[in-house]
Each structure stands twice: as structure tokens, then as C-alpha cells.
Amino acid sequence: DTGVSQDPRHKITKRGQNVTFRCDPISEHNRLYWYRQTLGQGPEFLTYFQNEAQLEKSRLLSDRFSAERPKGSFSTLEIQRTEQGDSAMYLCASSFGGTSSTDTQYFGPGTRLTVL
Amino acid sequence: GEDVEQSLFLSVREGDSSVINCTYTDSSSTYLYWYKQEPGAGLQLLTYIFSNMDMKQDQRLTVLLNKKDKHLSLRIADTQTGDSAIYFCAESKGGSYIPTFGRGTSLIVHP
């Protein structure tokens, strides 16, 4: 399967711990996006990368959150000092980019984070 | 209020048509999208429409856009049990790659 993959699929942690999630995009895609989805809500944009450059960050992305895409391929999202309010599904998506005005995003299955 | 609003639930009988409605607030929205999310899975783009169009058809799916009323709908013909999922309406503005999503409509298809 050459779709977007995310690891782990589920993470349970205690408040105050740090967690890191990984996303592997579709191999030829140069854009990568992170979203957060809570129960009963649609995905909310967190940040996106074009190749290794982080081009946009939402105000939702507090200073406890950091994302990297060091070689322009996989990306990691780290949450430091987790809080119960961080419990959510974290979705990654990738797209081919280029000059197309409609840049179809392909989503991974998500990482469900539960903070106790 | 929300930028993109949808009703939360829709229940239909198998074989009937389903119509899922969405309203948005930003008149500068350029692209409008419908995504499908099945349990435990990521979102799948079903279709999109550019704001200068008023209709788009793709097999069993028909998208209608009323730009004056900022109203978007998705019609699924001959709805099947496999269509049961959450459907998200989303919009983006020209030059942005980031869609704004609604809360999703949970479609339940019963025999």
C-alpha cells in the first residue's frame, strides 16, 4: 500500500509527558499537512510543509507543539507536556503540489491520542 | 457562528437518494469540497466544485452550488449501506491549500 501512513495509530499517555507522532506521505508528494480532529468536529489545520520548509502554522499550534520534516519526506509532530485538552485524532495528509489550483490532499488513518 | 455549517445526522433507506446540505459564510471561497470519512479511517476526497460552477456530476454523486445563498449540497443516488459514513463539507480560498471543514454529517443507511 503506497498511501499515507501514520504511526502509532493509538497513543495513551499521562498528562505532562511528551509524545511524538510520525507521518510518511505518498512518496512523490512534496506537500505535507497536519490536522487535529476532536470528536464531533471536522479536521482543524495545524501546519503544513512544502518539501522541508514549514510554510504555515495555525494559531492552534501552541509552543508545546513542534513539527519537522527534515529531509522533505516523513514528518514528525511532537507535543510536549501534554494536557488533557490535547486528546484528539491527529491526521496527516499529503499532496503532489505543483501549479494545480486544486491540490488534492490524501489523508492518512490518523493517530488517536488519549491524555489521562 | 461556524464558517461552514452542516446538519449533524441524516438517515435514509437503502436505494433512496441522500441529500446532504452545507452552508458557508465566506463569499470569497473559491473551491468547495466533499470528503467522506469511514470509521477508523482518514478522510477521502469525494468531489470538489469551483465557485464559478453551479453543478457537477460524477457517477452517483451530484454537487449543487448556489453561490448567492452560499449553499452547497451533495446528492447520492441509490444510496447503499457502504455509503454510511461521515461526510464533511469544506471550502478554501484561491491561493490557499488549506480547506476549512464543517463538523460533518453522519449518514446512516438502513435496509
Side-chain angles (χ1 to χ4, degrees):
Chain A
D1 189 324
T2 56
V4 178
S5 61
Q6 294 187 244
D7 183 68
R9 294 291 306 275
H10 304 273
K11 179 70 177 179
I12 299 173
T13 191
K14 293 182 179 178
R15 190 174 54 186
Q17 298 294 305
N18 299 344
V19 294
T20 301
F21 310 139
R22 177 179 170 124
C23 171
D24 286 89
I26 294 171
S27 59
E28 63 268 26
H29 285 184
N30 63 14
R31 290 197 186 117
L32 187 148
Y33 309 77
W34 285 99
Y35 294 85
R36 182 174 69 187
Q37 185 179 21
T38 53
L39 196 63
Q41 302 293 325
E44 296 173 296
F45 169 73
L46 292 178
T47 189
Y48 99 92
F49 293 83
Q50 177 145 329
N51 300 312
E52 64 275 12
Q54 188 173 17
L55 295 188
E56 191 171 339
K57 291 195 289 187
S58 163
R59 63 181 183 277
L60 292 175
L61 208 69
S62 77
D63 57 5
R64 295 185 297 106
F65 287 67
S66 62
E68 293 183 345
R69 195 183 183 198
K71 298 180 181 178
S73 56
F74 74 91
S75 175
T76 58
L77 177 69
E78 182 183 15
I79 309 174
Q80 295 182 327
R81 305 182 303 282
T82 51
E83 302 173 355
Q84 287 183 328
D86 297 331
S87 295
M89 176 78 85
Y90 290 84
L91 295 168
C92 175
S94 69
S95 66
F96 182 74
T99 58
S100 172
S101 296
T102 302
D103 192 25
T104 302
Q105 296 185 26
Y106 293 83
F107 281 79
T111 294
R112 182 168 295 284
L113 172 67
T114 302
V115 181
L116 302 176
Chain B
E2 299 284 334
D3 293 337
V4 179
E5 291 194 358
Q6 306 176 236
S7 54
L8 295 183
F9 298 99
L10 177 65
S11 177
V12 300
R13 185 172 297 181
E14 190 175 15
D16 288 351
S17 292
S18 308
V19 179
I20 303 172
N21 294 301
C22 168
T23 57
Y24 58 98
T25 57
D26 193 336
S27 57
S28 66
S29 296
T30 306
Y31 290 96
L32 296 124
Y33 310 84
W34 285 104
Y35 286 83
K36 177 183 181 182
Q37 187 176 34
E38 296 181 81
L43 276 73
Q44 173 195 356
L45 178 65
L46 289 177
T47 187
Y48 67 91
I49 189 167
F50 187 54
S51 61
N52 68 354
M53 300 168 64
D54 51 20
M55 184 179 111
K56 182 176 181 181
Q57 187 154 5
D58 183 2
Q59 299 182 338
R60 292 191 297 123
L61 305 179
T62 303
V63 178
L64 295 178
L65 174 61
N66 181 327
K67 194 175 179 182
K68 174 176 169 290
D69 293 339
K70 302 189 193 72
H71 181 267
L72 183 74
S73 69
L74 174 69
R75 179 177 180 268
I76 305 172
D78 186 25
T79 314
Q80 303 297 306
T81 54
D83 295 323
S84 294
I86 300 175
Y87 290 80
F88 291 94
C89 172
E91 59 88 18
S92 68
K93 299 165 190 48
S96 170
Y97 308 114
I98 313 303
T100 299
F101 289 86
R103 294 178 64 183
T105 299
S106 181
L107 174 65
I108 300 164
V109 182
H110 55 88

Short mmCIF file of all heavy atoms in Angstrom, two decimals, chain A residues 9 31 33 35 37 40-43 45 48 56 91 98 100-105 107-109, chain B residues 2 8 31 33 35 37 40-45 48 88 96-104:
data_model
loop_
_atom_site.label_atom_id
_atom_site.label_comp_id
_atom_site.label_asym_id
_atom_site.label_seq_id
_atom_site.Cartn_x
_atom_site.Cartn_y
_atom_site.Cartn_z
N ARG A 9 -0.91 4.26 15.66
CA ARG A 9 -2.32 4.50 15.39
C ARG A 9 -3.04 4.97 16.65
O ARG A 9 -4.02 5.72 16.58
CB ARG A 9 -2.99 3.24 14.86
CG ARG A 9 -2.49 2.80 13.49
CD ARG A 9 -2.92 3.77 12.38
NE ARG A 9 -4.36 3.99 12.38
CZ ARG A 9 -5.23 3.21 11.78
NH1 ARG A 9 -4.82 2.15 11.11
NH2 ARG A 9 -6.52 3.49 11.82
N ARG A 31 4.02 18.19 -0.59
CA ARG A 31 3.35 18.94 0.49
C ARG A 31 2.84 17.96 1.54
O ARG A 31 2.34 16.88 1.21
CB ARG A 31 2.18 19.77 -0.04
CG ARG A 31 2.63 20.92 -0.90
CD ARG A 31 1.57 21.96 -1.08
NE ARG A 31 2.03 22.97 -2.04
CZ ARG A 31 1.46 23.22 -3.21
NH1 ARG A 31 0.40 22.55 -3.58
NH2 ARG A 31 1.97 24.14 -4.01
N TYR A 33 0.69 17.95 5.42
CA TYR A 33 -0.18 18.74 6.30
C TYR A 33 -0.46 17.96 7.58
O TYR A 33 -0.59 16.73 7.55
CB TYR A 33 -1.53 19.00 5.62
CG TYR A 33 -1.47 19.56 4.22
CD1 TYR A 33 -1.17 18.74 3.14
CD2 TYR A 33 -1.74 20.90 3.96
CE1 TYR A 33 -1.12 19.23 1.85
CE2 TYR A 33 -1.71 21.40 2.67
CZ TYR A 33 -1.39 20.56 1.62
OH TYR A 33 -1.34 21.06 0.34
N TYR A 35 -3.34 17.98 10.76
CA TYR A 35 -4.63 18.45 11.24
C TYR A 35 -4.91 17.79 12.59
O TYR A 35 -4.39 16.71 12.89
CB TYR A 35 -5.77 18.06 10.29
CG TYR A 35 -5.74 18.69 8.93
CD1 TYR A 35 -4.98 18.14 7.90
CD2 TYR A 35 -6.50 19.83 8.65
CE1 TYR A 35 -4.97 18.71 6.64
CE2 TYR A 35 -6.50 20.40 7.39
CZ TYR A 35 -5.73 19.83 6.39
OH TYR A 35 -5.72 20.40 5.14
N GLN A 37 -8.34 16.57 14.87
CA GLN A 37 -9.79 16.37 14.82
C GLN A 37 -10.27 15.87 16.17
O GLN A 37 -9.82 14.83 16.65
CB GLN A 37 -10.16 15.35 13.73
CG GLN A 37 -11.65 15.18 13.53
CD GLN A 37 -11.98 14.19 12.43
OE1 GLN A 37 -11.18 13.35 12.06
NE2 GLN A 37 -13.19 14.29 11.89
N GLY A 40 -16.76 14.80 17.00
CA GLY A 40 -17.89 15.61 16.56
C GLY A 40 -17.50 16.86 15.80
O GLY A 40 -18.36 17.70 15.51
N GLN A 41 -16.22 16.99 15.49
CA GLN A 41 -15.74 18.16 14.75
C GLN A 41 -15.05 17.74 13.46
O GLN A 41 -14.62 16.60 13.31
CB GLN A 41 -14.76 18.96 15.61
CG GLN A 41 -15.29 19.44 16.95
CD GLN A 41 -16.36 20.49 16.79
OE1 GLN A 41 -16.33 21.32 15.88
NE2 GLN A 41 -17.34 20.46 17.68
N GLY A 42 -14.94 18.70 12.56
CA GLY A 42 -14.13 18.45 11.38
C GLY A 42 -12.66 18.67 11.68
O GLY A 42 -12.31 19.22 12.72
N PRO A 43 -11.79 18.26 10.79
CA PRO A 43 -10.36 18.49 11.00
C PRO A 43 -10.04 19.99 11.05
O PRO A 43 -10.62 20.78 10.32
CB PRO A 43 -9.72 17.85 9.76
CG PRO A 43 -10.74 16.89 9.25
CD PRO A 43 -12.07 17.50 9.58
N PHE A 45 -6.84 22.65 10.80
CA PHE A 45 -5.48 22.76 10.28
C PHE A 45 -4.50 23.14 11.38
O PHE A 45 -4.77 24.03 12.19
CB PHE A 45 -5.46 23.81 9.18
CG PHE A 45 -4.08 24.22 8.74
CD1 PHE A 45 -3.30 23.38 7.98
CD2 PHE A 45 -3.59 25.48 9.09
CE1 PHE A 45 -2.03 23.78 7.57
CE2 PHE A 45 -2.33 25.87 8.69
CZ PHE A 45 -1.54 25.03 7.93
N TYR A 48 1.61 23.14 7.72
CA TYR A 48 1.94 22.40 6.52
C TYR A 48 3.36 22.72 6.04
O TYR A 48 3.91 23.78 6.34
CB TYR A 48 0.89 22.59 5.42
CG TYR A 48 1.18 23.58 4.33
CD1 TYR A 48 1.80 23.17 3.14
CD2 TYR A 48 0.77 24.90 4.44
CE1 TYR A 48 2.01 24.07 2.11
CE2 TYR A 48 0.99 25.80 3.41
CZ TYR A 48 1.61 25.39 2.25
OH TYR A 48 1.83 26.28 1.23
N GLU A 56 3.35 27.33 6.86
CA GLU A 56 2.21 27.95 7.53
C GLU A 56 1.92 27.20 8.82
O GLU A 56 2.02 25.98 8.87
CB GLU A 56 0.98 27.94 6.62
CG GLU A 56 -0.18 28.79 7.12
CD GLU A 56 -1.29 28.94 6.08
OE1 GLU A 56 -1.03 28.75 4.88
OE2 GLU A 56 -2.43 29.25 6.49
N LEU A 91 -4.35 13.97 12.29
CA LEU A 91 -4.38 13.50 10.91
C LEU A 91 -3.24 14.13 10.12
O LEU A 91 -2.94 15.32 10.28
CB LEU A 91 -5.70 13.89 10.25
CG LEU A 91 -6.97 13.24 10.81
CD1 LEU A 91 -8.20 13.92 10.25
CD2 LEU A 91 -7.01 11.76 10.48
N GLY A 98 2.79 21.42 -6.89
CA GLY A 98 2.90 21.90 -8.26
C GLY A 98 2.02 23.10 -8.47
O GLY A 98 1.67 23.81 -7.55
N SER A 100 -1.11 23.17 -9.76
CA SER A 100 -2.55 22.93 -9.81
C SER A 100 -3.26 23.77 -8.76
O SER A 100 -2.83 23.83 -7.62
CB SER A 100 -2.84 21.45 -9.55
OG SER A 100 -4.22 21.25 -9.41
N SER A 101 -4.34 24.39 -9.17
CA SER A 101 -5.08 25.20 -8.21
C SER A 101 -5.80 24.34 -7.19
O SER A 101 -6.04 24.76 -6.08
CB SER A 101 -6.10 26.07 -8.95
OG SER A 101 -5.46 26.98 -9.78
N THR A 102 -6.18 23.19 -7.60
CA THR A 102 -6.80 22.27 -6.66
C THR A 102 -5.79 21.18 -6.37
O THR A 102 -5.46 20.41 -7.24
CB THR A 102 -8.09 21.66 -7.22
OG1 THR A 102 -8.98 22.70 -7.54
CG2 THR A 102 -8.72 20.76 -6.20
N ASP A 103 -5.32 21.19 -5.16
CA ASP A 103 -4.21 20.33 -4.78
C ASP A 103 -4.76 19.24 -3.90
O ASP A 103 -4.89 19.42 -2.69
CB ASP A 103 -3.18 21.20 -4.05
CG ASP A 103 -1.88 20.48 -3.86
OD1 ASP A 103 -1.58 19.57 -4.64
OD2 ASP A 103 -1.16 20.83 -2.92
N THR A 104 -5.15 18.11 -4.49
CA THR A 104 -5.85 17.06 -3.76
C THR A 104 -5.01 16.51 -2.63
O THR A 104 -3.87 16.08 -2.84
CB THR A 104 -6.22 15.91 -4.72
OG1 THR A 104 -7.03 16.44 -5.77
CG2 THR A 104 -6.98 14.82 -3.99
N GLN A 105 -5.58 16.55 -1.45
CA GLN A 105 -4.90 16.03 -0.27
C GLN A 105 -5.36 14.60 -0.01
O GLN A 105 -6.55 14.31 -0.02
CB GLN A 105 -5.20 16.90 0.95
CG GLN A 105 -4.66 18.31 0.81
CD GLN A 105 -4.85 19.14 2.07
OE1 GLN A 105 -4.92 18.63 3.18
NE2 GLN A 105 -4.91 20.44 1.89
N PHE A 107 -5.35 11.69 2.82
CA PHE A 107 -5.22 11.62 4.26
C PHE A 107 -4.76 10.24 4.72
O PHE A 107 -5.13 9.22 4.14
CB PHE A 107 -6.57 11.93 4.93
CG PHE A 107 -6.88 13.40 4.98
CD1 PHE A 107 -7.37 14.06 3.86
CD2 PHE A 107 -6.69 14.12 6.15
CE1 PHE A 107 -7.66 15.42 3.92
CE2 PHE A 107 -6.98 15.47 6.21
CZ PHE A 107 -7.46 16.12 5.10
N GLY A 108 -4.00 10.24 5.80
CA GLY A 108 -3.66 9.01 6.50
C GLY A 108 -4.78 8.63 7.46
O GLY A 108 -5.75 9.37 7.62
N PRO A 109 -4.63 7.47 8.13
CA PRO A 109 -5.69 6.99 9.02
C PRO A 109 -5.72 7.70 10.36
O PRO A 109 -6.69 7.55 11.11
CB PRO A 109 -5.33 5.51 9.22
CG PRO A 109 -3.85 5.47 9.02
CD PRO A 109 -3.53 6.51 7.99
N GLU B 2 -20.13 29.30 12.94
CA GLU B 2 -19.14 28.49 12.23
C GLU B 2 -18.99 29.00 10.81
O GLU B 2 -19.94 29.49 10.20
CB GLU B 2 -19.60 27.03 12.20
CG GLU B 2 -19.76 26.40 13.58
CD GLU B 2 -18.41 26.07 14.20
OE1 GLU B 2 -17.47 25.86 13.44
OE2 GLU B 2 -18.32 26.05 15.43
N LEU B 8 -26.11 17.53 11.47
CA LEU B 8 -25.24 16.52 12.05
C LEU B 8 -25.60 15.09 11.63
O LEU B 8 -24.72 14.23 11.60
CB LEU B 8 -25.25 16.62 13.56
CG LEU B 8 -24.66 17.91 14.13
CD1 LEU B 8 -24.66 17.88 15.65
CD2 LEU B 8 -23.25 18.15 13.59
N TYR B 31 -12.98 27.15 -3.83
CA TYR B 31 -13.24 25.74 -4.04
C TYR B 31 -14.07 25.21 -2.89
O TYR B 31 -13.84 25.58 -1.73
CB TYR B 31 -11.92 24.94 -4.12
CG TYR B 31 -11.14 25.22 -5.37
CD1 TYR B 31 -10.11 26.16 -5.37
CD2 TYR B 31 -11.45 24.57 -6.56
CE1 TYR B 31 -9.41 26.43 -6.52
CE2 TYR B 31 -10.74 24.84 -7.71
CZ TYR B 31 -9.73 25.77 -7.69
OH TYR B 31 -9.03 26.04 -8.84
N TYR B 33 -15.60 21.49 -1.30
CA TYR B 33 -15.24 20.08 -1.34
C TYR B 33 -16.24 19.24 -0.54
O TYR B 33 -16.85 19.72 0.42
CB TYR B 33 -13.87 19.85 -0.68
CG TYR B 33 -12.75 20.73 -1.14
CD1 TYR B 33 -12.56 22.00 -0.61
CD2 TYR B 33 -11.84 20.28 -2.11
CE1 TYR B 33 -11.50 22.80 -1.02
CE2 TYR B 33 -10.79 21.08 -2.52
CZ TYR B 33 -10.62 22.33 -1.97
OH TYR B 33 -9.58 23.13 -2.38
N TYR B 35 -15.82 15.56 1.47
CA TYR B 35 -14.97 14.46 1.91
C TYR B 35 -15.83 13.42 2.62
O TYR B 35 -16.84 13.75 3.23
CB TYR B 35 -13.91 14.94 2.91
CG TYR B 35 -12.77 15.73 2.34
CD1 TYR B 35 -12.89 17.10 2.09
CD2 TYR B 35 -11.54 15.12 2.07
CE1 TYR B 35 -11.83 17.83 1.58
CE2 TYR B 35 -10.48 15.85 1.56
CZ TYR B 35 -10.63 17.20 1.32
OH TYR B 35 -9.58 17.93 0.82
N GLN B 37 -15.56 10.19 5.48
CA GLN B 37 -14.72 9.56 6.49
C GLN B 37 -15.45 8.33 7.04
O GLN B 37 -16.51 8.45 7.65
CB GLN B 37 -14.38 10.52 7.63
CG GLN B 37 -13.39 9.96 8.63
CD GLN B 37 -12.98 10.96 9.69
OE1 GLN B 37 -13.79 11.79 10.12
NE2 GLN B 37 -11.72 10.89 10.14
N GLY B 40 -12.62 4.83 11.72
CA GLY B 40 -11.23 4.42 11.85
C GLY B 40 -10.35 4.76 10.68
O GLY B 40 -9.18 4.35 10.64
N ALA B 41 -10.86 5.53 9.74
CA ALA B 41 -10.09 5.84 8.53
C ALA B 41 -9.91 7.34 8.38
O ALA B 41 -10.59 8.13 9.03
CB ALA B 41 -10.80 5.27 7.30
N GLY B 42 -8.98 7.71 7.54
CA GLY B 42 -8.79 9.12 7.23
C GLY B 42 -9.85 9.61 6.27
O GLY B 42 -10.75 8.88 5.86
N LEU B 43 -9.74 10.87 5.91
CA LEU B 43 -10.73 11.46 5.01
C LEU B 43 -10.39 11.13 3.56
O LEU B 43 -9.23 11.10 3.17
CB LEU B 43 -10.76 12.98 5.17
CG LEU B 43 -11.61 13.51 6.31
CD1 LEU B 43 -10.97 13.24 7.63
CD2 LEU B 43 -11.85 15.00 6.13
N GLN B 44 -11.43 10.94 2.77
CA GLN B 44 -11.27 10.66 1.35
C GLN B 44 -12.00 11.76 0.58
O GLN B 44 -13.18 12.01 0.82
CB GLN B 44 -11.89 9.30 1.02
CG GLN B 44 -11.94 8.95 -0.45
CD GLN B 44 -12.87 7.80 -0.72
OE1 GLN B 44 -13.43 7.21 0.19
NE2 GLN B 44 -13.04 7.46 -1.98
N LEU B 45 -11.28 12.43 -0.33
CA LEU B 45 -11.93 13.44 -1.14
C LEU B 45 -12.86 12.77 -2.13
O LEU B 45 -12.45 11.94 -2.94
CB LEU B 45 -10.89 14.27 -1.90
CG LEU B 45 -11.44 15.35 -2.83
CD1 LEU B 45 -12.19 16.42 -2.04
CD2 LEU B 45 -10.33 15.98 -3.65
N TYR B 48 -15.10 17.89 -5.75
CA TYR B 48 -15.00 19.31 -5.43
C TYR B 48 -15.65 20.08 -6.57
O TYR B 48 -15.85 19.57 -7.68
CB TYR B 48 -13.54 19.74 -5.26
CG TYR B 48 -12.73 19.68 -6.52
CD1 TYR B 48 -12.63 20.79 -7.37
CD2 TYR B 48 -12.06 18.52 -6.90
CE1 TYR B 48 -11.90 20.73 -8.54
CE2 TYR B 48 -11.33 18.46 -8.06
CZ TYR B 48 -11.26 19.57 -8.87
OH TYR B 48 -10.52 19.51 -10.04
N PHE B 88 -18.01 15.38 5.14
CA PHE B 88 -17.56 16.72 5.51
C PHE B 88 -17.61 17.64 4.30
O PHE B 88 -17.10 17.31 3.22
CB PHE B 88 -16.13 16.69 6.04
CG PHE B 88 -15.98 16.02 7.37
CD1 PHE B 88 -15.65 14.68 7.46
CD2 PHE B 88 -16.18 16.75 8.54
CE1 PHE B 88 -15.52 14.07 8.69
CE2 PHE B 88 -16.03 16.13 9.78
CZ PHE B 88 -15.71 14.79 9.85
N SER B 96 -4.97 29.44 -1.41
CA SER B 96 -4.74 28.69 -0.18
C SER B 96 -4.91 27.21 -0.44
O SER B 96 -5.81 26.80 -1.16
CB SER B 96 -5.73 29.12 0.90
OG SER B 96 -5.64 28.25 2.01
N TYR B 97 -4.06 26.42 0.15
CA TYR B 97 -4.18 24.97 0.04
C TYR B 97 -4.91 24.37 1.23
O TYR B 97 -5.03 23.17 1.34
CB TYR B 97 -2.78 24.34 -0.04
CG TYR B 97 -1.93 24.95 -1.11
CD1 TYR B 97 -0.78 25.68 -0.79
CD2 TYR B 97 -2.27 24.82 -2.45
CE1 TYR B 97 -0.01 26.26 -1.78
CE2 TYR B 97 -1.50 25.39 -3.44
CZ TYR B 97 -0.37 26.11 -3.09
OH TYR B 97 0.40 26.68 -4.06
N ILE B 98 -5.37 25.22 2.13
CA ILE B 98 -5.90 24.75 3.41
C ILE B 98 -7.42 24.86 3.43
O ILE B 98 -7.97 25.96 3.49
CB ILE B 98 -5.32 25.56 4.58
CG1 ILE B 98 -3.80 25.73 4.45
CG2 ILE B 98 -5.73 24.91 5.89
CD1 ILE B 98 -3.05 24.43 4.37
N PRO B 99 -8.13 23.73 3.39
CA PRO B 99 -9.59 23.80 3.48
C PRO B 99 -10.05 24.02 4.92
O PRO B 99 -9.41 23.57 5.86
CB PRO B 99 -10.04 22.43 2.96
CG PRO B 99 -8.87 21.53 3.15
CD PRO B 99 -7.65 22.36 3.17
N THR B 100 -11.19 24.69 5.06
CA THR B 100 -11.88 24.81 6.34
C THR B 100 -13.05 23.85 6.31
O THR B 100 -13.89 23.92 5.41
CB THR B 100 -12.39 26.25 6.56
OG1 THR B 100 -11.28 27.14 6.57
CG2 THR B 100 -13.14 26.36 7.88
N PHE B 101 -13.11 22.98 7.29
CA PHE B 101 -14.09 21.90 7.30
C PHE B 101 -15.30 22.24 8.17
O PHE B 101 -15.17 22.95 9.19
CB PHE B 101 -13.46 20.62 7.87
CG PHE B 101 -12.45 19.98 6.97
CD1 PHE B 101 -11.13 20.40 6.99
CD2 PHE B 101 -12.81 18.97 6.10
CE1 PHE B 101 -10.18 19.81 6.17
CE2 PHE B 101 -11.88 18.38 5.27
CZ PHE B 101 -10.57 18.80 5.30
N GLY B 102 -16.45 21.71 7.80
CA GLY B 102 -17.60 21.70 8.67
C GLY B 102 -17.48 20.58 9.70
O GLY B 102 -16.49 19.84 9.73
N ARG B 103 -18.51 20.43 10.53
CA ARG B 103 -18.45 19.43 11.60
C ARG B 103 -18.79 18.03 11.11
O ARG B 103 -18.62 17.06 11.84
CB ARG B 103 -19.40 19.83 12.73
CG ARG B 103 -18.97 21.09 13.45
CD ARG B 103 -19.96 21.47 14.53
NE ARG B 103 -20.01 20.45 15.58
CZ ARG B 103 -20.84 20.50 16.60
NH1 ARG B 103 -21.69 21.49 16.73
NH2 ARG B 103 -20.81 19.56 17.53
N GLY B 104 -19.30 17.94 9.89
CA GLY B 104 -19.60 16.62 9.35
C GLY B 104 -21.05 16.22 9.55
O GLY B 104 -21.68 16.56 10.54
#
